[in-house]
mmCIF file of all heavy atoms in Angstrom:
data_model
loop_
_atom_site.group_PDB
_atom_site.id
_atom_site.type_symbol
_atom_site.label_atom_id
_atom_site.label_comp_id
_atom_site.label_asym_id
_atom_site.label_seq_id
_atom_site.Cartn_x
_atom_site.Cartn_y
_atom_site.Cartn_z
ATOM 1 N N GLN A 207 0.805 -1.203 -0.007
ATOM 2 C CA GLN A 207 0.006 -0.010 0.004
ATOM 3 C C GLN A 207 0.841 1.262 0.005
ATOM 4 O O GLN A 207 2.052 1.225 0.299
ATOM 5 C CB GLN A 207 -0.914 0.001 1.214
ATOM 6 C CG GLN A 207 -0.177 0.091 2.546
ATOM 7 C CD GLN A 207 -1.137 0.049 3.736
ATOM 8 O OE1 GLN A 207 -2.302 -0.405 3.606
ATOM 9 N NE2 GLN A 207 -0.715 0.469 4.898
ATOM 10 N N ARG A 208 0.185 2.355 -0.350
ATOM 11 C CA ARG A 208 0.825 3.654 -0.357
ATOM 12 C C ARG A 208 0.567 4.331 0.971
ATOM 13 O O ARG A 208 -0.574 4.504 1.395
ATOM 14 C CB ARG A 208 0.228 4.485 -1.514
ATOM 15 C CG ARG A 208 0.992 5.730 -1.834
ATOM 16 C CD ARG A 208 0.414 6.402 -3.062
ATOM 17 N NE ARG A 208 0.605 5.595 -4.280
ATOM 18 C CZ ARG A 208 0.288 6.027 -5.483
ATOM 19 N NH1 ARG A 208 -0.217 7.240 -5.657
ATOM 20 N NH2 ARG A 208 0.475 5.248 -6.538
ATOM 21 N N ASP A 209 1.660 4.729 1.632
ATOM 22 C CA ASP A 209 1.563 5.256 2.991
ATOM 23 C C ASP A 209 2.053 6.713 3.070
ATOM 24 O O ASP A 209 2.979 7.094 2.349
ATOM 25 C CB ASP A 209 2.397 4.422 3.964
ATOM 26 C CG ASP A 209 1.890 2.991 4.089
ATOM 27 O OD1 ASP A 209 0.669 2.805 4.167
ATOM 28 O OD2 ASP A 209 2.730 2.085 4.136
ATOM 29 N N LEU A 210 1.459 7.442 3.987
ATOM 30 C CA LEU A 210 1.878 8.801 4.235
ATOM 31 C C LEU A 210 3.303 8.840 4.777
ATOM 32 O O LEU A 210 3.679 8.042 5.669
ATOM 33 C CB LEU A 210 0.954 9.474 5.255
ATOM 34 C CG LEU A 210 1.391 10.839 5.754
ATOM 35 C CD1 LEU A 210 1.241 11.893 4.659
ATOM 36 C CD2 LEU A 210 0.588 11.246 6.989
ATOM 37 N N VAL A 211 4.113 9.768 4.254
ATOM 38 C CA VAL A 211 5.417 10.050 4.812
ATOM 39 C C VAL A 211 5.363 11.368 5.585
ATOM 40 O O VAL A 211 5.738 11.422 6.742
ATOM 41 C CB VAL A 211 6.480 10.135 3.695
ATOM 42 C CG1 VAL A 211 7.849 10.516 4.292
ATOM 43 C CG2 VAL A 211 6.574 8.840 2.936
ATOM 44 N N ALA A 212 4.902 12.415 4.929
ATOM 45 C CA ALA A 212 4.809 13.747 5.553
ATOM 46 C C ALA A 212 3.836 14.570 4.754
ATOM 47 O O ALA A 212 3.686 14.377 3.552
ATOM 48 C CB ALA A 212 6.168 14.424 5.591
ATOM 49 N N ARG A 213 3.210 15.551 5.433
ATOM 50 C CA ARG A 213 2.357 16.451 4.714
ATOM 51 C C ARG A 213 2.365 17.816 5.390
ATOM 52 O O ARG A 213 2.699 17.942 6.568
ATOM 53 C CB ARG A 213 0.939 15.917 4.570
ATOM 54 C CG ARG A 213 0.102 15.895 5.825
ATOM 55 C CD ARG A 213 -1.275 15.312 5.469
ATOM 56 N NE ARG A 213 -2.285 15.746 6.408
ATOM 57 C CZ ARG A 213 -3.542 15.370 6.373
ATOM 58 N NH1 ARG A 213 -3.975 14.545 5.435
ATOM 59 N NH2 ARG A 213 -4.408 15.811 7.265
ATOM 60 N N ILE A 214 2.011 18.829 4.594
ATOM 61 C CA ILE A 214 1.998 20.188 5.077
ATOM 62 C C ILE A 214 0.672 20.827 4.651
ATOM 63 O O ILE A 214 0.264 20.713 3.504
ATOM 64 C CB ILE A 214 3.223 20.976 4.556
ATOM 65 C CG1 ILE A 214 3.273 22.384 5.125
ATOM 66 C CG2 ILE A 214 3.276 20.997 3.012
ATOM 67 C CD1 ILE A 214 4.622 23.072 4.914
ATOM 68 N N SER A 215 0.028 21.479 5.605
ATOM 69 C CA SER A 215 -1.261 22.077 5.335
ATOM 70 C C SER A 215 -1.100 23.464 4.715
ATOM 71 O O SER A 215 0.000 24.036 4.735
ATOM 72 C CB SER A 215 -2.076 22.168 6.609
ATOM 73 O OG SER A 215 -1.578 23.216 7.438
ATOM 74 N N VAL A 216 -2.200 23.992 4.246
ATOM 75 C CA VAL A 216 -2.139 25.330 3.659
ATOM 76 C C VAL A 216 -1.710 26.347 4.706
ATOM 77 O O VAL A 216 -1.043 27.348 4.370
ATOM 78 C CB VAL A 216 -3.519 25.709 3.050
ATOM 79 C CG1 VAL A 216 -4.586 25.765 4.119
ATOM 80 C CG2 VAL A 216 -3.423 26.976 2.239
ATOM 81 N N GLY A 217 -1.973 26.067 5.977
ATOM 82 C CA GLY A 217 -1.567 26.974 7.048
ATOM 83 C C GLY A 217 -0.149 26.780 7.501
ATOM 84 O O GLY A 217 0.375 27.537 8.336
ATOM 85 N N GLY A 218 0.489 25.728 6.975
ATOM 86 C CA GLY A 218 1.879 25.484 7.304
ATOM 87 C C GLY A 218 2.143 24.420 8.365
ATOM 88 O O GLY A 218 3.305 24.110 8.662
ATOM 89 N N SER A 219 1.098 23.869 8.942
ATOM 90 C CA SER A 219 1.329 22.818 9.914
ATOM 91 C C SER A 219 1.744 21.536 9.206
ATOM 92 O O SER A 219 1.346 21.283 8.078
ATOM 93 C CB SER A 219 0.075 22.554 10.757
ATOM 94 O OG SER A 219 -1.004 22.190 9.940
ATOM 95 N N THR A 220 2.571 20.774 9.905
ATOM 96 C CA THR A 220 3.135 19.550 9.299
ATOM 97 C C THR A 220 2.830 18.349 10.181
ATOM 98 O O THR A 220 2.643 18.470 11.394
ATOM 99 C CB THR A 220 4.651 19.682 9.123
ATOM 100 O OG1 THR A 220 5.259 19.905 10.413
ATOM 101 C CG2 THR A 220 4.990 20.829 8.198
ATOM 102 N N ASN A 221 2.787 17.212 9.546
ATOM 103 C CA ASN A 221 2.786 15.972 10.315
ATOM 104 C C ASN A 221 3.528 14.906 9.521
ATOM 105 O O ASN A 221 3.644 14.967 8.303
ATOM 106 C CB ASN A 221 1.370 15.512 10.689
ATOM 107 C CG ASN A 221 0.478 15.252 9.522
ATOM 108 O OD1 ASN A 221 0.119 16.174 8.800
ATOM 109 N ND2 ASN A 221 0.104 13.996 9.318
ATOM 110 N N TYR A 222 4.090 13.987 10.308
ATOM 111 C CA TYR A 222 5.000 12.979 9.767
ATOM 112 C C TYR A 222 4.611 11.576 10.219
ATOM 113 O O TYR A 222 4.106 11.396 11.340
ATOM 114 C CB TYR A 222 6.427 13.252 10.254
ATOM 115 C CG TYR A 222 7.030 14.546 9.763
ATOM 116 C CD1 TYR A 222 6.831 15.727 10.470
ATOM 117 C CD2 TYR A 222 7.803 14.574 8.601
ATOM 118 C CE1 TYR A 222 7.373 16.928 10.022
ATOM 119 C CE2 TYR A 222 8.362 15.755 8.157
ATOM 120 C CZ TYR A 222 8.133 16.925 8.852
ATOM 121 O OH TYR A 222 8.703 18.113 8.400
ATOM 122 N N ALA A 223 4.922 10.634 9.401
ATOM 123 C CA ALA A 223 4.867 9.235 9.835
ATOM 124 C C ALA A 223 5.927 9.025 10.883
ATOM 125 O O ALA A 223 6.976 9.694 10.890
ATOM 126 C CB ALA A 223 5.101 8.313 8.655
ATOM 127 N N ASP A 224 5.681 8.092 11.776
ATOM 128 C CA ASP A 224 6.677 7.824 12.838
ATOM 129 C C ASP A 224 8.034 7.473 12.235
ATOM 130 O O ASP A 224 9.075 7.860 12.780
ATOM 131 C CB ASP A 224 6.186 6.669 13.720
ATOM 132 C CG ASP A 224 5.047 7.073 14.636
ATOM 133 O OD1 ASP A 224 4.834 8.305 14.816
ATOM 134 O OD2 ASP A 224 4.364 6.195 15.165
ATOM 135 N N SER A 225 8.028 6.774 11.134
ATOM 136 C CA SER A 225 9.288 6.354 10.491
ATOM 137 C C SER A 225 10.069 7.537 9.947
ATOM 138 O O SER A 225 11.276 7.428 9.702
ATOM 139 C CB SER A 225 9.011 5.362 9.391
ATOM 140 O OG SER A 225 8.174 5.924 8.405
ATOM 141 N N ALA A 226 9.396 8.674 9.710
ATOM 142 C CA ALA A 226 10.045 9.828 9.120
ATOM 143 C C ALA A 226 10.475 10.863 10.167
ATOM 144 O O ALA A 226 11.331 11.727 9.847
ATOM 145 C CB ALA A 226 9.111 10.483 8.124
ATOM 146 N N LYS A 227 9.922 10.810 11.311
ATOM 147 C CA LYS A 227 10.204 11.835 12.347
ATOM 148 C C LYS A 227 11.678 11.849 12.710
ATOM 149 O O LYS A 227 12.290 10.796 12.931
ATOM 150 C CB LYS A 227 9.364 11.559 13.600
ATOM 151 C CG LYS A 227 7.867 11.840 13.410
ATOM 152 C CD LYS A 227 7.087 11.492 14.660
ATOM 153 C CE LYS A 227 5.591 11.745 14.437
ATOM 154 N NZ LYS A 227 4.771 11.317 15.592
ATOM 155 N N GLY A 228 12.231 13.064 12.721
ATOM 156 C CA GLY A 228 13.621 13.225 13.102
ATOM 157 C C GLY A 228 14.601 13.039 11.961
ATOM 158 O O GLY A 228 15.783 13.363 12.089
ATOM 159 N N ARG A 229 14.131 12.501 10.832
ATOM 160 C CA ARG A 229 15.025 12.287 9.689
ATOM 161 C C ARG A 229 14.586 13.063 8.463
ATOM 162 O O ARG A 229 15.418 13.510 7.654
ATOM 163 C CB ARG A 229 15.073 10.796 9.345
ATOM 164 C CG ARG A 229 15.632 9.919 10.431
ATOM 165 C CD ARG A 229 15.831 8.484 9.937
ATOM 166 N NE ARG A 229 14.597 7.863 9.465
ATOM 167 C CZ ARG A 229 14.443 7.257 8.309
ATOM 168 N NH1 ARG A 229 15.457 7.173 7.459
ATOM 169 N NH2 ARG A 229 13.296 6.703 7.946
ATOM 170 N N PHE A 230 13.289 13.183 8.255
ATOM 171 C CA PHE A 230 12.748 13.835 7.061
ATOM 172 C C PHE A 230 12.117 15.187 7.437
ATOM 173 O O PHE A 230 11.537 15.329 8.522
ATOM 174 C CB PHE A 230 11.669 12.962 6.401
ATOM 175 C CG PHE A 230 12.145 11.638 5.868
ATOM 176 C CD1 PHE A 230 13.465 11.223 5.965
ATOM 177 C CD2 PHE A 230 11.243 10.790 5.261
ATOM 178 C CE1 PHE A 230 13.874 10.013 5.468
ATOM 179 C CE2 PHE A 230 11.642 9.572 4.748
ATOM 180 C CZ PHE A 230 12.963 9.187 4.862
ATOM 181 N N THR A 231 12.197 16.108 6.500
ATOM 182 C CA THR A 231 11.591 17.427 6.706
ATOM 183 C C THR A 231 10.841 17.829 5.441
ATOM 184 O O THR A 231 11.413 17.839 4.349
ATOM 185 C CB THR A 231 12.643 18.500 7.020
ATOM 186 O OG1 THR A 231 13.393 18.105 8.176
ATOM 187 C CG2 THR A 231 11.980 19.832 7.285
ATOM 188 N N ILE A 232 9.562 18.170 5.625
ATOM 189 C CA ILE A 232 8.778 18.678 4.503
ATOM 190 C C ILE A 232 8.775 20.215 4.602
ATOM 191 O O ILE A 232 8.676 20.793 5.676
ATOM 192 C CB ILE A 232 7.346 18.104 4.510
ATOM 193 C CG1 ILE A 232 6.608 18.487 3.233
ATOM 194 C CG2 ILE A 232 6.563 18.535 5.748
ATOM 195 C CD1 ILE A 232 5.286 17.733 3.037
ATOM 196 N N SER A 233 8.912 20.850 3.451
ATOM 197 C CA SER A 233 8.912 22.309 3.408
ATOM 198 C C SER A 233 8.330 22.754 2.061
ATOM 199 O O SER A 233 8.048 21.918 1.181
ATOM 200 C CB SER A 233 10.312 22.854 3.584
ATOM 201 O OG SER A 233 11.169 22.434 2.520
ATOM 202 N N ARG A 234 8.184 24.056 1.918
ATOM 203 C CA ARG A 234 7.620 24.537 0.663
ATOM 204 C C ARG A 234 8.233 25.891 0.289
ATOM 205 O O ARG A 234 8.684 26.648 1.153
ATOM 206 C CB ARG A 234 6.111 24.660 0.772
ATOM 207 C CG ARG A 234 5.610 25.707 1.758
ATOM 208 C CD ARG A 234 4.145 25.619 1.995
ATOM 209 N NE ARG A 234 3.673 26.687 2.876
ATOM 210 C CZ ARG A 234 2.488 26.717 3.440
ATOM 211 N NH1 ARG A 234 1.605 25.752 3.215
ATOM 212 N NH2 ARG A 234 2.140 27.731 4.236
ATOM 213 N N ASP A 235 8.194 26.152 -0.992
ATOM 214 C CA ASP A 235 8.577 27.434 -1.550
ATOM 215 C C ASP A 235 7.316 27.977 -2.219
ATOM 216 O O ASP A 235 6.947 27.542 -3.313
ATOM 217 C CB ASP A 235 9.713 27.259 -2.544
ATOM 218 C CG ASP A 235 10.185 28.603 -3.149
ATOM 219 O OD1 ASP A 235 9.389 29.561 -3.170
ATOM 220 O OD2 ASP A 235 11.336 28.636 -3.590
ATOM 221 N N ASN A 236 6.663 28.909 -1.571
ATOM 222 C CA ASN A 236 5.374 29.376 -2.061
ATOM 223 C C ASN A 236 5.499 30.027 -3.434
ATOM 224 O O ASN A 236 4.650 29.824 -4.308
ATOM 225 C CB ASN A 236 4.764 30.366 -1.065
ATOM 226 C CG ASN A 236 4.584 29.756 0.302
ATOM 227 O OD1 ASN A 236 4.417 28.540 0.429
ATOM 228 N ND2 ASN A 236 4.665 30.581 1.338
ATOM 229 N N ALA A 237 6.529 30.808 -3.611
ATOM 230 C CA ALA A 237 6.683 31.530 -4.881
ATOM 231 C C ALA A 237 6.908 30.574 -6.044
ATOM 232 O O ALA A 237 6.500 30.867 -7.181
ATOM 233 C CB ALA A 237 7.843 32.515 -4.778
ATOM 234 N N ALA A 238 7.536 29.442 -5.769
ATOM 235 C CA ALA A 238 7.845 28.481 -6.808
ATOM 236 C C ALA A 238 6.778 27.389 -6.928
ATOM 237 O O ALA A 238 6.918 26.476 -7.749
ATOM 238 C CB ALA A 238 9.196 27.842 -6.557
ATOM 239 N N ASN A 239 5.741 27.465 -6.076
ATOM 240 C CA ASN A 239 4.695 26.434 -6.070
ATOM 241 C C ASN A 239 5.284 25.033 -5.937
ATOM 242 O O ASN A 239 4.902 24.087 -6.631
ATOM 243 C CB ASN A 239 3.844 26.527 -7.324
ATOM 244 C CG ASN A 239 3.060 27.837 -7.415
ATOM 245 O OD1 ASN A 239 2.686 28.401 -6.399
ATOM 246 N ND2 ASN A 239 2.862 28.318 -8.617
ATOM 247 N N THR A 240 6.243 24.927 -5.043
ATOM 248 C CA THR A 240 6.988 23.664 -4.911
ATOM 249 C C THR A 240 7.040 23.234 -3.455
ATOM 250 O O THR A 240 7.234 24.061 -2.565
ATOM 251 C CB THR A 240 8.399 23.830 -5.467
ATOM 252 O OG1 THR A 240 8.331 24.192 -6.845
ATOM 253 C CG2 THR A 240 9.195 22.539 -5.330
ATOM 254 N N VAL A 241 6.871 21.955 -3.274
ATOM 255 C CA VAL A 241 7.006 21.323 -1.956
ATOM 256 C C VAL A 241 8.208 20.389 -2.009
ATOM 257 O O VAL A 241 8.441 19.708 -3.006
ATOM 258 C CB VAL A 241 5.730 20.565 -1.569
ATOM 259 C CG1 VAL A 241 5.908 19.770 -0.274
ATOM 260 C CG2 VAL A 241 4.578 21.531 -1.434
ATOM 261 N N TYR A 242 8.966 20.364 -0.906
ATOM 262 C CA TYR A 242 10.161 19.546 -0.840
ATOM 263 C C TYR A 242 10.047 18.511 0.276
ATOM 264 O O TYR A 242 9.322 18.696 1.259
ATOM 265 C CB TYR A 242 11.372 20.431 -0.547
ATOM 266 C CG TYR A 242 11.573 21.532 -1.540
ATOM 267 C CD1 TYR A 242 11.130 22.826 -1.276
ATOM 268 C CD2 TYR A 242 12.191 21.291 -2.757
ATOM 269 C CE1 TYR A 242 11.320 23.850 -2.186
ATOM 270 C CE2 TYR A 242 12.388 22.305 -3.684
ATOM 271 C CZ TYR A 242 11.954 23.560 -3.394
ATOM 272 O OH TYR A 242 12.131 24.580 -4.304
ATOM 273 N N LEU A 243 10.821 17.465 0.097
ATOM 274 C CA LEU A 243 11.001 16.486 1.171
ATOM 275 C C LEU A 243 12.517 16.241 1.298
ATOM 276 O O LEU A 243 13.111 15.616 0.406
ATOM 277 C CB LEU A 243 10.282 15.166 0.887
ATOM 278 C CG LEU A 243 10.368 14.150 2.025
ATOM 279 C CD1 LEU A 243 9.594 14.632 3.240
ATOM 280 C CD2 LEU A 243 9.852 12.780 1.570
ATOM 281 N N GLN A 244 13.084 16.762 2.359
ATOM 282 C CA GLN A 244 14.491 16.521 2.648
ATOM 283 C C GLN A 244 14.579 15.245 3.460
ATOM 284 O O GLN A 244 13.981 15.147 4.544
ATOM 285 C CB GLN A 244 15.087 17.705 3.441
ATOM 286 C CG GLN A 244 16.528 17.497 3.835
ATOM 287 C CD GLN A 244 17.475 17.461 2.651
ATOM 288 O OE1 GLN A 244 17.361 18.282 1.739
ATOM 289 N NE2 GLN A 244 18.415 16.525 2.664
ATOM 290 N N MET A 245 15.341 14.292 2.961
ATOM 291 C CA MET A 245 15.480 13.002 3.616
ATOM 292 C C MET A 245 16.914 12.785 4.023
ATOM 293 O O MET A 245 17.801 12.751 3.144
ATOM 294 C CB MET A 245 14.990 11.880 2.677
ATOM 295 C CG MET A 245 13.576 12.064 2.201
ATOM 296 S SD MET A 245 12.955 10.681 1.228
ATOM 297 C CE MET A 245 13.968 10.851 -0.255
ATOM 298 N N ASN A 246 17.160 12.675 5.307
ATOM 299 C CA ASN A 246 18.488 12.437 5.838
ATOM 300 C C ASN A 246 18.533 11.069 6.551
ATOM 301 O O ASN A 246 17.481 10.552 6.944
ATOM 302 C CB ASN A 246 18.876 13.554 6.820
ATOM 303 C CG ASN A 246 18.913 14.907 6.180
ATOM 304 O OD1 ASN A 246 19.249 15.065 5.009
ATOM 305 N ND2 ASN A 246 18.558 15.909 6.947
ATOM 306 N N GLY A 247 19.727 10.567 6.730
ATOM 307 C CA GLY A 247 19.843 9.296 7.433
ATOM 308 C C GLY A 247 19.066 8.182 6.798
ATOM 309 O O GLY A 247 18.412 7.385 7.478
ATOM 310 N N LEU A 248 19.124 8.104 5.467
ATOM 311 C CA LEU A 248 18.306 7.120 4.741
ATOM 312 C C LEU A 248 18.688 5.692 5.116
ATOM 313 O O LEU A 248 19.842 5.372 5.344
ATOM 314 C CB LEU A 248 18.402 7.356 3.244
ATOM 315 C CG LEU A 248 17.580 8.560 2.763
ATOM 316 C CD1 LEU A 248 18.068 9.028 1.415
ATOM 317 C CD2 LEU A 248 16.097 8.191 2.718
ATOM 318 N N LYS A 249 17.653 4.854 5.166
ATOM 319 C CA LYS A 249 17.796 3.447 5.487
ATOM 320 C C LYS A 249 17.267 2.603 4.341
ATOM 321 O O LYS A 249 16.488 3.083 3.509
ATOM 322 C CB LYS A 249 17.007 3.130 6.766
ATOM 323 C CG LYS A 249 17.302 3.990 7.950
ATOM 324 C CD LYS A 249 16.391 3.688 9.120
ATOM 325 C CE LYS A 249 16.656 4.599 10.301
ATOM 326 N NZ LYS A 249 15.733 4.300 11.435
ATOM 327 N N SER A 250 17.670 1.349 4.334
ATOM 328 C CA SER A 250 17.189 0.480 3.240
ATOM 329 C C SER A 250 15.685 0.392 3.205
ATOM 330 O O SER A 250 15.099 0.277 2.133
ATOM 331 C CB SER A 250 17.818 -0.919 3.379
ATOM 332 O OG SER A 250 17.469 -1.473 4.634
ATOM 333 N N GLU A 251 15.064 0.455 4.341
ATOM 334 C CA GLU A 251 13.613 0.363 4.384
ATOM 335 C C GLU A 251 12.898 1.616 3.847
ATOM 336 O O GLU A 251 11.673 1.623 3.723
ATOM 337 C CB GLU A 251 13.092 0.069 5.799
ATOM 338 C CG GLU A 251 13.649 0.980 6.853
ATOM 339 C CD GLU A 251 14.832 0.376 7.599
ATOM 340 O OE1 GLU A 251 15.743 -0.186 6.905
ATOM 341 O OE2 GLU A 251 14.868 0.491 8.849
ATOM 342 N N ASP A 252 13.665 2.653 3.516
ATOM 343 C CA ASP A 252 13.092 3.837 2.881
ATOM 344 C C ASP A 252 12.960 3.640 1.356
ATOM 345 O O ASP A 252 12.395 4.496 0.677
ATOM 346 C CB ASP A 252 13.941 5.083 3.154
ATOM 347 C CG ASP A 252 13.966 5.446 4.626
ATOM 348 O OD1 ASP A 252 12.910 5.386 5.264
ATOM 349 O OD2 ASP A 252 15.071 5.768 5.125
ATOM 350 N N THR A 253 13.510 2.581 0.853
ATOM 351 C CA THR A 253 13.405 2.300 -0.567
ATOM 352 C C THR A 253 11.960 2.149 -0.982
ATOM 353 O O THR A 253 11.216 1.337 -0.411
ATOM 354 C CB THR A 253 14.184 1.016 -0.934
ATOM 355 O OG1 THR A 253 15.588 1.241 -0.701
ATOM 356 C CG2 THR A 253 13.970 0.637 -2.389
ATOM 357 N N ALA A 254 11.541 2.952 -1.967
ATOM 358 C CA ALA A 254 10.153 2.961 -2.386
ATOM 359 C C ALA A 254 10.005 3.952 -3.543
ATOM 360 O O ALA A 254 10.942 4.688 -3.864
ATOM 361 C CB ALA A 254 9.209 3.375 -1.256
#
C-alpha cells in the first residue's frame, strides 16, 4: 500500500509518519509552487 510520509497544510502545519520523524523534513517554496522532502539518514527500508 501507499503510505503517508509527511504532509503540510495550507496553514503550514506539518505531520510525519513515525518512521520519518527526526530524519525527514517537509517544506515549501510558495513563490515556486513547490514542496520539498528533505530526507536524511536514509535506510534500506526507505526504498520505495
Side-chain angles (χ1 to χ4, degrees):
Q207 66 182 18
R208 192 174 294 185
D209 296 318
L210 172 71
V211 177
R213 71 181 204 181
I214 184 166
S215 74
V216 64
S219 60
T220 59
N221 61 293
Y222 295 88
D224 287 344
S225 60
K227 289 178 182 176
R229 298 189 300 130
F230 295 1
T231 302
I232 189 169
S233 62
R234 66 189 183 192
D235 181 336
N236 302 332
N239 296 329
T240 300
V241 174
Y242 303 99
L243 184 67
Q244 177 66 45
M245 303 185 292
N246 299 327
L248 283 161
K249 305 175 183 179
S250 58
E251 51 263 45
D252 296 317
T253 294

